[in-house]
Amino acid sequence: SNVLRNILLVGVVLVTPVIYGSAVSAASAEALKPIVGISIDNGDSAGVEASKLGMIEAVQAAGGIPIVLNDRGDRSPDKDIKKIDVLIVQGDTLDVDPALYGQKPHKETRIETDKSRSSYENKIIPLALHDKMPVLLICGGMQRTNALLGGTLLQHIPDLKGVEPGHGNNHSLPPQTPSVTATVVPDSKF
């Protein structure tokens, strides 16, 4: 999507060195492309595969070299952070464990089951933030980062006053289609 490409291009601009007045070989140009680590669901459903492929294609289209950070049981966040220039953390269909932000699970909370993924992301996200690395946090990635930085989450949004049923499905796009829904309020800053 254009939004994803624009965000990734910002990351490319932040991490790509500029060479003035010199010819750059194809090999040198390839070496200048940012390495983009992508932490994404390990699932094997068609939706997960489409999302993974879409993310890889978007990173390539934006000029980056994607590395999928799966098989987290065999990976080291401390080593991986040294190999990447940009970090993308994408969510999935499950909820961040409320224990991470000091709450007990709501009866409707569906806690993440891939403990190797949550443990890995709980380590690599703070490393990326400490290094001031460009990050793109999508859905669960943003929620996890919020909790890691001391924030909390509302576990069941339909319990809030004024929330209409179906708040999460207010468009007709397939669920794997990258999209952004935003409301601009007059006199606000975006």
Side-chain angles (χ1 to χ4, degrees):
S1 86
N2 288 334
V3 172
L4 179 59
R5 285 192 184 114
N6 289 341
I7 292 170
L8 289 173
L9 284 173
V10 169
V12 172
V13 170
L14 291 172
V15 299
T16 303
V18 177
I19 299 174
Y20 295 100
S22 64
V24 178
S25 69
S28 295
E30 187 71 16
L32 294 177
K33 290 183 175 183
I35 307 298
V36 181
I38 305 169
S39 184
I40 195 167
D41 192 7
N42 279 335
D44 59 1
S45 71
V48 168
E49 287 305 313
S51 180
K52 191 182 305 182
L53 182 59
M55 187 65 66
I56 289 168
E57 289 173 350
V59 168
Q60 290 170 331
I65 301 171
I67 296 178
V68 178
L69 303 172
N70 282 11
D71 302 319
R72 292 169 202 79
D74 298 331
R75 302 195 75 89
S76 164
D78 294 313
K79 290 179 182 176
D80 285 347
I81 201 72
K82 294 174 185 172
K83 298 175 187 175
I84 62 175
D85 302 302
V86 178
L87 176 65
I88 297 175
V89 182
Q90 185 168 329
D92 58 24
T93 60
L94 299 174
D95 298 312
V96 173
D97 189 341
L100 186 61
Y101 48 94
Q103 292 183 9
K104 293 182 181 178
H106 183 281
K107 65 182 180 179
E108 298 293 329
T109 299
R110 295 181 16 225
I111 298 175
E112 56 199 352
T113 55
D114 186 350
K115 299 302 181 192
S116 66
R117 178 181 181 186
S118 57
S119 175
Y120 179 87
E121 290 178 353
N122 288 349
K123 293 174 186 166
I124 199 165
I125 291 170
L127 292 171
L129 295 174
H130 178 268
D131 290 351
K132 298 185 178 3
M133 179 181 290
V135 297
L136 173 59
L137 306 165
I138 303 168
C139 194
M142 189 176 299
Q143 294 170 16
R144 179 175 308 287
T145 302
N146 174 62
L148 289 169
L149 294 174
T152 61
L153 299 171
L154 298 171
Q155 293 183 52
H156 194 61
I157 293 173
D159 289 347
L160 297 174
K161 285 185 176 182
V163 174
E164 296 178 22
H167 69 280
N169 297 318
N170 58 357
H171 55 73
S172 60
L173 296 172
Q176 69 271 18
T177 303
S179 63
V180 175
T181 302
T183 303
V184 179
V185 178
D187 300 321
S188 67
K189 294 182 180 180
F190 186 62

